[in-house]
Amino acid sequence: MCPPTYYTVRDVKNPFMQSAQAVDHDLAARQWTALRDAFTRAGVTTLTIDPVEDLEDMVFAANQVFVGKGARHPRFIVPSRMRYPSREREVPYYVAWFGERGFDVVDLELDANAGEFLEGHGDLIAHPGSSRVWAGHGFRSSKTGVDRFARAMEPEGIRVTPLALIDPTFYHLDTCFAPLNADAVLLYPGAFAAESLELMRQTWTRLHAVTRADAERFVCNGVAVSGHFIASHVSPQLEDILAREQLQPLLVDTSEFEKAGGSVFCMKTFLD
Ligand code: ARG
């Protein structure tokens, strides 16, 4: 995780930022600490990267690299190629952090001029308990970026399934898709192209569709971890789904980060 020391909403990179009220920085700091404590309560050890002045979105630690375990590289990262230059500047800090901790770097050397973008775990989400990765594209990561990633993952034994995102509100896969366990996923169907939905139907035993209203409150940005589902909002419908999947809701308010278009999933990257 990255402390929100320099976090603010400065420009519009996604629809949530369009109408955003000013960030309450003290509240943001308290919410970030509460989220870190929630991870700790769920049994997760948290590490931090030092925030960098002027990198106002660096707090969204999900985006700068993809973290993987492969056949060729047991612990590796794939550096992102971010759509916005302001966020591209975050990437070297994360690459250095992982390099210092012994992760191999699988650099795709993506070419922004050729339209190759890849935004880490914002769009690349692992299927629990398998070496499969679901890869959203359309708004931030591009199809060409995802295709290059898929080819590079073949020798690692990682199978990548592209999913086409079609609604600008759900600009990253992690805004509309949350695996709950190996069989069940929470998703907002309206965010996906028909053939992508079909691919998911063929794979997941239980597809739990949420309403647009719940999706806009970032329920699909929740994180299922050790029997908990950490999220900023639960509706009665979501409570039923979580009960069926034997997950305990763990609520944390992320209102200040939602102004930038992010919530729980966006604010961390899992090392394992
Ligand atoms: N303001 C940030 C951006 O647009 C939010 C990123 C949220 N992260 C995520 N994984 N969805 O780029």
Side-chain angles (χ1 to χ4, degrees):
M1 297 178 73
C2 177
T5 317
Y6 305 105
Y7 166 66
T8 196
V9 172
R10 187 180 283 174
D11 54 3
V12 177
K13 304 185 197 83
N14 64 62
F16 294 93
M17 302 176 92
Q18 232 148 34
S19 49
Q21 314 266 317
V23 171
D24 177 334
H25 291 99
D26 292 338
L27 181 55
R30 289 199 299 275
Q31 290 178 343
W32 184 88
T33 302
L35 176 60
R36 195 185 55 189
D37 292 348
F39 278 121
T40 305
R41 245 187 299 152
V44 179
T45 303
T46 56
L47 305 174
T48 54
I49 182 172
D50 290 337
V52 176
E53 198 171 350
D54 214 34
L55 299 184
E56 76 278 7
D57 267 337
M58 193 170 169
V59 67
F60 296 111
N63 299 126
Q64 301 81 358
V65 302
F66 168 85
V67 188
K69 281 185 187 177
R72 203 175 264 181
H73 299 95
R75 295 166 91 211
F76 70 95
I77 57 161
V78 177
S80 295
R81 189 74 184 80
M82 301 294 292
R83 182 74 68 164
Y84 292 98
S86 65
R87 294 218 61 195
E88 180 63 16
R89 295 194 288 123
E90 301 167 12
V91 176
Y93 294 99
Y94 279 80
V95 171
W97 192 97
F98 281 91
E100 282 158 18
R101 284 158 184 84
F103 287 75
D104 291 328
V105 179
V106 177
D107 198 339
L108 307 184
E109 292 175 17
L110 295 171
D111 182 0
N113 292 320
E116 295 174 345
F117 296 103
L118 193 69
E119 297 213 345
H121 293 282
D123 280 318
L124 304 170
I125 301 184
H127 194 112
S130 98
S131 53
R132 181 171 195 164
V133 171
W134 298 90
H137 61 85
F139 296 103
R140 303 295 284 273
S141 301
S142 61
K143 181 64 166 45
T144 49
V146 161
D147 286 345
R148 295 260 334 259
F149 174 73
R151 275 200 301 282
M153 291 302 103
E154 276 169 24
E156 304 291 350
I158 296 172
R159 174 174 168 205
V160 178
T161 306
L163 297 172
L165 302 175
I166 57 167
D167 181 330
T169 300
F170 305 100
Y171 63 97
H172 268 151
L173 183 60
D174 70 8
T175 62
C176 51
F177 174 94
L180 300 179
N181 51 53
D183 301 316
V185 65
L186 198 67
L187 87 170
Y188 172 59
F192 296 94
E195 60 276 15
S196 298
L197 269 181
E198 190 46 44
L199 279 176
M200 290 188 276
R201 283 204 186 95
Q202 287 163 9
T203 310
W204 298 88
T205 312
R206 294 181 299 283
L207 245 83
H208 296 290
V210 304
T211 62
R212 186 180 183 91
D214 275 353
E216 284 178 344
R217 296 192 66 182
F218 291 94
V219 298
C220 296
N221 205 251
V223 172
V225 58
S226 347
H228 295 85
F229 187 73
I230 308 178
S232 58
H233 164 77
V234 283
S235 60
Q237 187 215 4
L238 182 60
E239 275 179 349
D240 287 349
I241 294 169
L242 295 179
R244 254 192 80 184
E245 300 297 343
Q246 294 170 332
L247 289 168
Q248 195 74 9
L250 190 47
L251 276 182
V252 286
D253 189 1
T254 56
S255 66
E256 297 318 291
F257 300 97
E258 292 168 27
K259 292 173 177 173
S263 180
V264 177
F265 188 97
C266 307
M267 292 167 67
K268 59 91 191 83
T269 199
F270 282 141
L271 303 192
D272 192 354

